[in-house]
Amino acid sequence: MAKTLILHIGHYKTGTTALQVFFSQNTRFLRNQGIEYPDLWMHNAKHSDFAFSILKAAGISGPLMFDYADETSPRQMWGMLMDHVRHSPADTVLISSEELMRIGQFPEAVQILRGVLGRRPDGIDIKIVAYLRDPQSHMLSWYNQLIKMNIPVSDLETALGGEIEDIHFDYRRALEPWIDIAGKDNVLLRPYRNDPGDPNALHRDFFAALNVTLPKALQRSQPDPNPRLDDRVAELLRLMQNLGFPRASINAVRNRALSYLATQDALKAEIVRPLDDIRAQARDGLDWLAQQADGSLPIDAFADRLPEGRPRAEIDRNVLIGFVFAEFIQLRQRVQNFAIPELARRIDALEARLQQKEES
């Protein structure tokens, strides 16, 4: 009987970690649906070694390899996977790793992938599942992730020129090798939607694509296993990383900044009147004023300058500046309160005692 190997390949920042945690915690449910999520070469609920073995064999190195050092060849590792699929009691075997998406970045890795999948035994069908979001939000989320992982990175525009790999904005480069190898009909592409009001939407969508209904008993609220770093502190942490600050110092600043931002967010007044209503009222007031002023006031110029809020980016920047100033003031106070005269007196006393011991 034919078996199916499903490769869930990401993309990065599309809820892959949440899905992987769900798969690993609900293996009984999967088995009842004829799907196995094996522990073969699995670490932290994902099967990234299958990707890392190919990337390593292709000569890829760097921080995104996460110190991967296993010497098992791709042919051997993927051969073990194919043997596992053949002997699995389930009709379908599912493995998942967003690192698989990175293979499309490197032609050498693509050729290795083509070889290991091309050598699979007869009777094993390959299906690919990939989630995608619009390139702008994906790129911004990945840039945020690089900073969160303490990987030094340039400003966003510079990073797009080389530090951020093409697969994060060029979906043809990311997916064409998989479509070419597996065939278009065997590659399922799904839109990623992050709905805070429905945290199980992604899980339901994934299983619906496999013709499996996710029971309500398994649709429960779960904490985000890979929460996004607050964008308001990302740039500050990026600069600290690039300046070579110790990781402990960076983490300390990160924690204090997030605490400061949480306090500031809690102080925000509830919006009583929408800005559009305020602008409409101001416009009505100018219409009335035009009748009273008889042309003595530049009403049209006034109308071009109705009340408006500050841009979100400016508000966030000002909040971050407030945090930096707060840190500076606290540091200055600690320095001023440091008992330097007392420290000098104690040093003098110690030196006097040492001198007495030497003389005796």
Side-chain angles (χ1 to χ4, degrees), residues 341-355:
E342 174 64 17
L343 180 62
R345 186 189 65 76
R346 295 177 64 183
I347 292 174
D348 289 341
L350 287 172
E351 288 178 343
R353 291 180 63 182
L354 287 173
Q355 186 173 359

Side-chain angles (χ1 to χ4, degrees), residues 89-110:
D91 295 336
T92 299
V93 173
L94 167 66
I95 70 167
S96 175
S97 173
E98 59 271 42
E99 305 296 343
L100 290 165
M101 187 69 79
R102 198 170 174 227
I103 290 174
Q105 179 71 24
F106 307 103
E108 300 88 347
V110 171

Side-chain angles (χ1 to χ4, degrees), residues 39-60:
D39 58 7
L40 180 70
W41 296 101
M42 183 171 70
H43 305 284
N44 298 321
K46 60 183 67 182
H47 302 93
S48 296
D49 282 9
F50 290 105
F52 287 143
S53 69
I54 291 177
L55 294 169
K56 183 173 182 289
I60 309 305

Side-chain angles (χ1 to χ4, degrees), residues 20 47 99 130-131 139 260 264 276 280 353:
Q20 290 155 357
H47 302 93
E99 305 296 343
Y131 279 82
M139 178 267 299
Y260 174 88
Q264 296 302 310
D276 287 345
R353 291 180 63 182

Side-chain angles (χ1 to χ4, degrees), residues 13-15 131-134 190-203 205:
K13 311 310 298 177
T14 59
Y131 279 82
L132 300 171
R133 59 199 298 179
D134 69 84
R190 301 294 303 157
Y192 169 70
R193 297 185 181 92
N194 182 20
D195 184 357
D198 186 2
N200 293 285
L202 176 64
H203 302 70
D205 185 86

Side-chain angles (χ1 to χ4, degrees), residues 192-255:
Y192 169 70
R193 297 185 181 92
N194 182 20
D195 184 357
D198 186 2
N200 293 285
L202 176 64
H203 302 70
R204 287 200 308 274
D205 185 86
F206 185 93
F207 285 107
L210 305 183
N211 296 316
V212 173
T213 300
L214 186 64
K216 289 186 177 181
L218 296 181
Q219 298 185 42
R220 52 187 181 271
S221 179
Q222 298 282 353
D224 188 346
N226 186 20
R228 179 172 178 146
L229 175 66
D230 193 314
D231 286 313
R232 293 174 292 181
V233 303
E235 187 67 9
L236 175 62
L237 300 184
R238 182 186 72 83
L239 293 174
M240 292 184 68
Q241 291 166 10
N242 292 353
L243 289 171
F245 279 79
R247 180 166 296 186
S249 298
I250 296 174
N251 289 339
V253 170
R254 169 182 171 173
N255 292 336

